[in-house]
């Protein structure tokens, strides 16, 4: 093979590679949704929310036990972080719910560099927060009407003695049976309680150490296990959510 032929083959290879590089698809750009609220948000602490716009945001940050399958006809409720549908007993006075293992909160300084798994106790703690008099939760009245055994008594004890709400006192009506099992008990049958458990904007799980780490500023630092995390917030001006990096790691 003479030099001219070799040179021709070399040029052909270079052209082919160059064309391949030029034809290579560009990396996908970020998918961004812009949305304007008609009124300002109030808080990103589920227990202190008083408006639908804040609820819309936290429903993407916190995970509820169940969620709606909106594409089903008719719509139906499906497990979210729960491991299947609830088990009920005593004519809907007792509800037992199991949680899927291996779900983690978004990384946050409150966890001191450790991965933090979602457990049943997180839902117990989050439910109790609505009864804490210090939070003055707008949702307290509707949850109190459920008649969860022991919850109103725990609230009244804090009010009567003018002391801090005791999150460590076990309550018969909302407690854990093990690391991943949650139990609710009511004074009367509650066959529609399932609808209370739907969505992260209501009884979404919060980690106690995050609440205690940020204290009075917890409404500015929502940390959940949901698909998004709060990346930036300028009150009444800008709310920026990004995909939860923990979920990206799990996908990989």
């Amino acid at each position: 093979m003479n030099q001219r032929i070799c040179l021709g083959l070399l040029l052909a290879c270079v052209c082919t590679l160059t064309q391949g590089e030029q034809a290579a698809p560009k990396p996908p750009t970020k998918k961004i949704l812009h949305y304007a609220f008609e009124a300002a948000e109030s808080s990103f602490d589920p227990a202190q929310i008083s408006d639908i716009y804040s609820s819309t945001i936290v429903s993407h940050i916190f995970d509820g036990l169940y969620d709606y399958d909106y594409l089903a006809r008719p719509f139906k409720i499906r497990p979210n972080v729960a491991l299947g549908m609830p088990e009920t007993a005593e004519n809907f006075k007792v509800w037992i719910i199991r949680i899927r293992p291996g779900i983690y909160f978004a990384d946050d300084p409150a966890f001191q560099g450790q991965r933090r798994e979602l457990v049943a106790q997180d839902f117990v703690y989050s439910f109790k927060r609505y009864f804490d008099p210090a939070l003055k939760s707008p949702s307290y009245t509707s949850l109190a009407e459920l008649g969860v055994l022991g919850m109103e008594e725990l609230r009244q004890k804090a009010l009567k003695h003018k002391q801090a709400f005791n999150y460590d006192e076990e309550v018969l009506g909302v407690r854990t049976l093990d690391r991943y099992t949650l139990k609710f008990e009511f004074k009367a049958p509650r066959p529609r309680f399932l609808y209370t458990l739907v969505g992260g904007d209501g009884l979404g799980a919060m980690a106690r150490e995050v609440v205690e780490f940020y204290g009075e500023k917890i409404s500015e630092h929502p940390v959940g296990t949901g698909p998004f995390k709060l990346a930036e917030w300028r009150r009444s001006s800008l709310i920026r959510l990004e995909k939860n990096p923990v979920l990206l790691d799990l996908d990989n």
Side-chain angles (χ1 to χ4, degrees), residues 157-181:
K157 185 184 297 185
L159 289 170
K160 180 180 179 180
H161 300 288
K162 297 182 180 180
Q163 60 187 21
F165 188 82
N166 189 358
Y167 287 94
D168 295 315
E169 182 173 333
E170 186 173 277
V171 173
L172 183 63
V174 54
R175 54 197 175 97
T176 62
L177 301 183
D178 57 44
R179 182 175 177 83
Y180 302 111
T181 307

Side-chain angles (χ1 to χ4, degrees), residues 1-191:
M1 185 178 295
N2 59 38
Q3 294 181 348
R4 182 176 297 179
I5 295 176
C6 290
L7 180 59
L9 290 174
L10 179 60
L11 290 173
C13 291
V14 171
C15 290
T16 302
L17 290 174
T18 303
Q19 291 172 357
E21 291 175 358
Q22 292 176 345
K26 295 181 179 179
T29 58
K30 289 184 177 180
K31 296 180 180 179
I32 301 175
L33 171 66
H34 295 276
Y35 188 87
F37 288 157
E38 296 182 4
E41 66 284 354
S42 61
S43 171
F44 296 143
D45 176 3
Q48 300 184 69
I49 286 176
S50 59
D51 66 285
I52 189 172
Y53 301 109
S54 300
S55 295
T56 300
I57 295 297
V58 301
S59 67
H60 293 82
I61 296 175
F62 296 99
D63 268 325
L65 289 160
Y66 297 92
D67 204 350
Y68 287 110
D69 183 353
Y70 293 101
L71 298 181
R73 295 293 181 270
F75 78 86
K76 63 182 180 180
I77 294 175
R78 61 187 178 187
N80 185 30
V81 299
L83 188 64
M85 300 305 287
E87 299 175 11
T88 61
E90 298 182 27
N91 193 25
F92 296 101
K93 287 185 179 180
V94 175
W95 291 66
I96 297 177
I97 303 164
R98 291 176 175 82
I99 298 170
R100 289 192 288 121
I103 299 173
Y104 293 88
F105 284 91
D107 294 333
D108 190 84
F111 300 133
Q112 301 180 358
Q114 301 296 315
R115 295 183 71 189
R116 173 61 158 79
E117 187 181 22
L118 174 70
V119 295
Q121 186 60 41
D122 295 319
F123 285 98
V124 173
Y125 173 73
S126 300
F127 186 85
K128 285 182 174 180
R129 294 187 74 241
Y130 290 90
F131 287 79
D132 187 342
L135 298 181
K136 299 178 181 179
S137 175
S139 301
Y140 156 70
T141 302
S142 59
L143 292 178
E145 291 176 350
L146 293 173
V148 179
L149 293 176
M151 278 308 310
E152 184 59 27
E153 290 78 3
L154 186 61
R155 173 184 170 87
Q156 292 303 320
K157 185 184 297 185
L159 289 170
K160 180 180 179 180
H161 300 288
K162 297 182 180 180
Q163 60 187 21
F165 188 82
N166 189 358
Y167 287 94
D168 295 315
E169 182 173 333
E170 186 173 277
V171 173
L172 183 63
V174 54
R175 54 197 175 97
T176 62
L177 301 183
D178 57 44
R179 182 175 177 83
Y180 302 111
T181 307
L182 180 66
K183 183 177 183 180
F184 288 93
E185 291 191 56
F186 302 94
K187 297 176 182 177
R190 290 296 175 186

